[in-house]
Amino acid sequence: MRITVIGSGYVGLVTGACLSDLGFKVVCLDKDEDKVKMLQAGQVPIYEPGLKELLSRNHAERRIRFTHDAQDAIEHGDVLFIAVGTPAQEDGSADLGHVLSVASMIGCHLKNFKLIVNKSTVPVGTADRVRAAVNHALKQRGMSEDMFDVVSNPEFLKEGAAIDDFMRPDRIVVGVDDGIHREKSQRMMGDLYASFNRHHSRTVWMDVRSAELTKYAANAMLATRISFMNEIANLADALGADVDHIRRGIGADNRIGYSFLYAGCGYGGSCFPKDTQALVSTAQAHGQHMHVVSATEQVNERQKTLLVDRLVQRMGEDLTGRKIAVWGLAFKPNTDDMREAPSRAVIKNLLQRGAQVMAYDPVASHEALQALQLDCADQADLLQNFTLVEHDMDALVGVDALMILTEWKNFHNPDFQAMKRSMRTPYILDGRNLYNPEALADLGIAYQGIGRRNELIHMDIDPVEENTSALNA
Ligand SMILES: NC(=O)c1ccc[n+]([C@@H]2O[C@H](COP(=O)([O-])OP(=O)(O)OC[C@H]3O[C@@H](n4cnc5c(N)ncnc54)[C@H](O)[C@@H]3O)[C@@H](O)[C@H]2O)c1
């Protein structure tokens, strides 16, 4: 069985690399010619741990290749994965433009039976629309409409741990519908993932619509856990409780578990924000309202402004003349993905208030600059006050505060004494709860985490102006 993956982004490349590593002959297609050239030259356009090594090994062994040629790609695969983007539209619904244009393209090149596997996250009913688009193209060519089947196989990988997630899946969701190809499609999907089912079956078989909805339900549930904990954290702040104790206290309950219970400065990324929006929009289109998911989104939007609000409480609305360091730009560690990263909203907000921002990220600097240029396109001069630095400590020189927005491992154990010496005001706003508030209080560093008894810890901290002048003296 040969594989074609259409769309060579985070999901497509990981899928292609992992399947080639399992011995399949894989062709990855992308419409972006520059991306294809990079991949052919052995470069990887995204940062994902282990991906470069996996691709170069399988490329060298001729199990994977990259192309821009649709006909070549469609002819190659018995299985055609669709792994193109499904970004949010203005109204929150998923933009299916890429998926449907791939479907038409498949219909234009189909010559014999192919199994079309939809890996993109798509609203319920998309498989039917893919089927219709392929059929339309086939009909125009005067070809039979029975030459293919469409199944749903949503992807659950996490950026930053994508290879491991793909190679050791908790479950593989496959949606197959009744029809003349059902048996064949099910057998092909079974063969495709047989390596993961040797010990016990990880495949959860269902109908296509349920599979499509499963992906949205999973992301909405995870996002809801985060927003729930953020609300608990904000309440903990008001009450003088510590959300980290609460996290351990509830996570120990088997019915709840420890995952996705970390309070922070909001979730971002290419999936949670757009998938929760799309779910709300799908429900609306069917006369339903997703109350919980809508609240999850609202809480997240508010959470993204929390750190700047705290800074403003101390320094006033106008941050002109203030220098603020930011550690962490990517939406999460181990990726350079800046899609919907909270850092974008935070940095734009700081710049609009007149602050100077010194930012550091171990891998996402280039992508961050591009994202901010986009965000500030209508106020380009804002970026004059934005500086990217190459080392974490370089961001701290003479700053009034440090904001931590991504929990990169190398931020876990910094030299606090050196930080204190470097900063004009030793003040850390920790959007990822990396540090021990008591330990930092002992070091004389003002510290505000998310839900970490901030008010109690800060009762004895001087106002910013006095603190600043004392340190300057
Ligand atoms: N990124 C994740 O963590 C993740 C996880 C699970 C599911 N998903 C879902 O998977 C899908 C893909 O996400 P992604 O993050 O990999 O997107 P991405 O933007 O990184 O990659 C999409 C790729 O598809 C290419 N493309 C678009 N139209 C094309 C066409 N007509 N022909 C060939 N190539 C085309 C683009 O050039 C791009 O390289 C989305 O639906 C997303 O929601 C993403």
Side-chain angles (χ1 to χ4, degrees), residues 32 60 83 123 135 142 222 224 232 250 259 284 294 304 309 331 364 381 437 469:
D32 181 338
N135 272 330
L222 295 171
T224 298
I232 294 288
I250 63 174
S259 299
Q284 268 164 2
S294 296
K304 286 199 260 179
D309 290 348
F331 87 93
D381 54 332
S469 54

Side-chain angles (χ1 to χ4, degrees), residues 170-182:
D170 295 331
R171 79 312 205 178
I172 300 159
V173 168
V174 181
V176 186
D177 275 348
D178 285 338
I180 52 168
H181 299 301
R182 186 191 172 99

Side-chain angles (χ1 to χ4, degrees), residues 133-169:
V134 179
N135 272 330
H136 181 73
L138 284 174
K139 214 168 166 184
Q140 286 192 324
R141 291 168 58 211
M143 310 267 296
S144 154
E145 295 187 5
D146 295 333
M147 293 172 64
F148 69 98
D149 197 7
V150 182
V151 301
S152 169
N153 173 216
E155 181 51 59
F156 297 98
L157 62 78
K158 300 182 289 296
E159 286 179 24
I163 305 284
D164 204 43
D165 285 347
F166 194 98
M167 289 303 213
R168 277 191 267 191

Side-chain angles (χ1 to χ4, degrees), residues 377-445:
D378 50 343
Q379 290 170 281
D381 54 332
L382 282 183
L383 288 178
Q384 285 169 3
N385 277 339
F386 177 71
T387 309
L388 280 164
V389 298
E390 283 194 17
H391 303 285
D392 49 6
M393 291 301 288
D394 294 348
L396 302 184
V397 182
V399 296
D400 295 287
L402 162 65
M403 287 187 176
I404 299 180
L405 304 183
T406 316
E407 63 272 39
W408 284 97
K409 279 218 161 47
N410 49 311
F411 299 155
H412 283 221
N413 297 290
D415 180 342
F416 289 114
Q417 294 293 2
M419 289 168 75
K420 204 175 150 186
R421 281 195 300 276
S422 196
M423 297 169 76
R424 183 148 59 122
T425 313
Y427 176 25
I428 298 178
L429 292 128
D430 183 355
R432 298 298 171 190
N433 283 347
L434 296 185
Y435 307 133
N436 178 333
E438 284 83 7
L440 290 202
D442 289 348
L443 284 166
I445 295 177

Side-chain angles (χ1 to χ4, degrees), residues 82 99-100 102-104 106-107 110 113-118 125-139 144-152 175-182 185 207-209 212:
I82 302 180
V99 171
L100 296 178
V102 168
S104 302
I106 292 173
L110 218 59
F113 179 86
K114 306 280 176 183
L115 179 60
I116 301 171
V117 182
N118 198 359
T126 301
D128 297 337
R129 295 182 66 185
V130 167
R131 205 180 286 276
V134 179
N135 272 330
H136 181 73
L138 284 174
K139 214 168 166 184
S144 154
E145 295 187 5
D146 295 333
M147 293 172 64
F148 69 98
D149 197 7
V150 182
V151 301
S152 169
V176 186
D177 275 348
D178 285 338
I180 52 168
H181 299 301
R182 186 191 172 99
S185 303
D207 60 279
V208 168
R209 286 183 166 242
E212 289 171 335

Side-chain angles (χ1 to χ4, degrees), residues 132-435:
V134 179
N135 272 330
H136 181 73
L138 284 174
K139 214 168 166 184
Q140 286 192 324
R141 291 168 58 211
M143 310 267 296
S144 154
E145 295 187 5
D146 295 333
M147 293 172 64
F148 69 98
D149 197 7
V150 182
V151 301
S152 169
N153 173 216
E155 181 51 59
F156 297 98
L157 62 78
K158 300 182 289 296
E159 286 179 24
I163 305 284
D164 204 43
D165 285 347
F166 194 98
M167 289 303 213
R168 277 191 267 191
D170 295 331
R171 79 312 205 178
I172 300 159
V173 168
V174 181
V176 186
D177 275 348
D178 285 338
I180 52 168
H181 299 301
R182 186 191 172 99
E183 216 175 291
K184 185 174 184 175
S185 303
Q186 204 157 349
R187 184 168 31 79
M188 287 174 82
M189 291 307 285
D191 290 348
L192 186 72
Y193 289 123
S195 314
F196 304 132
N197 291 325
R198 290 169 76 91
H199 182 261
H200 64 275
S201 178
R202 291 187 161 85
T203 306
V204 184
W205 298 97
M206 56 183 79
D207 60 279
V208 168
R209 286 183 166 242
S210 301
E212 289 171 335
L213 190 52
T214 298
K215 172 65 190 177
Y216 284 102
N219 275 356
M221 167 73 90
L222 295 171
T224 298
R225 281 172 75 101
I226 296 173
S227 279
F228 173 80
M229 284 312 282
N230 282 338
E231 277 207 313
I232 294 288
N234 297 343
L235 182 61
D237 268 337
L239 299 176
D242 186 335
V243 75
D244 201 47
H245 296 319
I246 300 162
R247 178 184 68 79
R248 290 165 204 267
I250 63 174
D253 184 329
N254 280 337
R255 294 168 302 176
I256 296 174
Y258 288 104
S259 299
F260 280 79
L261 291 186
Y262 289 93
C265 56
Y267 60 75
S270 67
C271 294
F272 289 0
K274 88 169 167 61
D275 292 349
T276 46
Q277 277 178 43
L279 188 57
V280 168
S281 163
T282 298
Q284 268 164 2
H286 291 81
Q288 308 267 330
H289 189 79
M290 302 295 286
H291 298 277
V292 174
V293 184
S294 296
T296 292
E297 287 184 309
Q298 282 162 23
V299 169
N300 194 55
E301 284 310 301
R302 203 183 59 214
Q303 203 69 9
K304 286 199 260 179
T305 68
L306 191 73
L307 294 189
V308 179
D309 290 348
R310 287 183 174 168
L311 198 70
V312 164
Q313 268 171 17
R314 292 186 147 243
M315 300 183 182
E317 296 279 348
D318 183 3
L319 297 176
T320 308
R322 297 287 186 183
K323 207 170 164 187
I324 311 298
V326 171
W327 276 5
L329 299 169
F331 87 93
K332 65 190 270 192
N334 297 323
T335 181
D336 58 359
D337 199 338
M338 285 296 296
R339 288 178 281 186
E340 303 289 330
S343 66
R344 295 171 68 161
V346 169
I347 291 172
K348 189 170 180 190
N349 195 343
L350 291 173
L351 294 172
Q352 282 173 327
R353 291 173 184 281
Q356 193 184 340
V357 176
M358 310 288 291
Y360 167 76
D361 189 282
V363 303
S365 294
H366 176 68
E367 286 67 20
L369 189 57
Q370 285 185 330
L372 285 164
Q373 279 166 343
L374 213 65
D375 294 348
C376 300
D378 50 343
Q379 290 170 281
D381 54 332
L382 282 183
L383 288 178
Q384 285 169 3
N385 277 339
F386 177 71
T387 309
L388 280 164
V389 298
E390 283 194 17
H391 303 285
D392 49 6
M393 291 301 288
D394 294 348
L396 302 184
V397 182
V399 296
D400 295 287
L402 162 65
M403 287 187 176
I404 299 180
L405 304 183
T406 316
E407 63 272 39
W408 284 97
K409 279 218 161 47
N410 49 311
F411 299 155
H412 283 221
N413 297 290
D415 180 342
F416 289 114
Q417 294 293 2
M419 289 168 75
K420 204 175 150 186
R421 281 195 300 276
S422 196
M423 297 169 76
R424 183 148 59 122
T425 313
Y427 176 25
I428 298 178
L429 292 128
D430 183 355
R432 298 298 171 190
N433 283 347
L434 296 185
Y435 307 133

Side-chain angles (χ1 to χ4, degrees), residues 6-12 29-32 35 83-86 98 101-102 105 119-122 155-159 215 270-271 274-275 337 339:
I6 305 167
S8 304
Y10 285 86
V11 169
L29 172 74
D30 205 282
K31 67 171 185 181
D32 181 338
K35 193 178 264 193
V84 295
T86 47
H98 298 304
S101 88
V102 168
M105 183 260 289
K119 226 175 207 331
S120 296
T121 302
V122 291
E155 181 51 59
F156 297 98
L157 62 78
K158 300 182 289 296
E159 286 179 24
K215 172 65 190 177
S270 67
C271 294
K274 88 169 167 61
D275 292 349
D337 199 338
R339 288 178 281 186

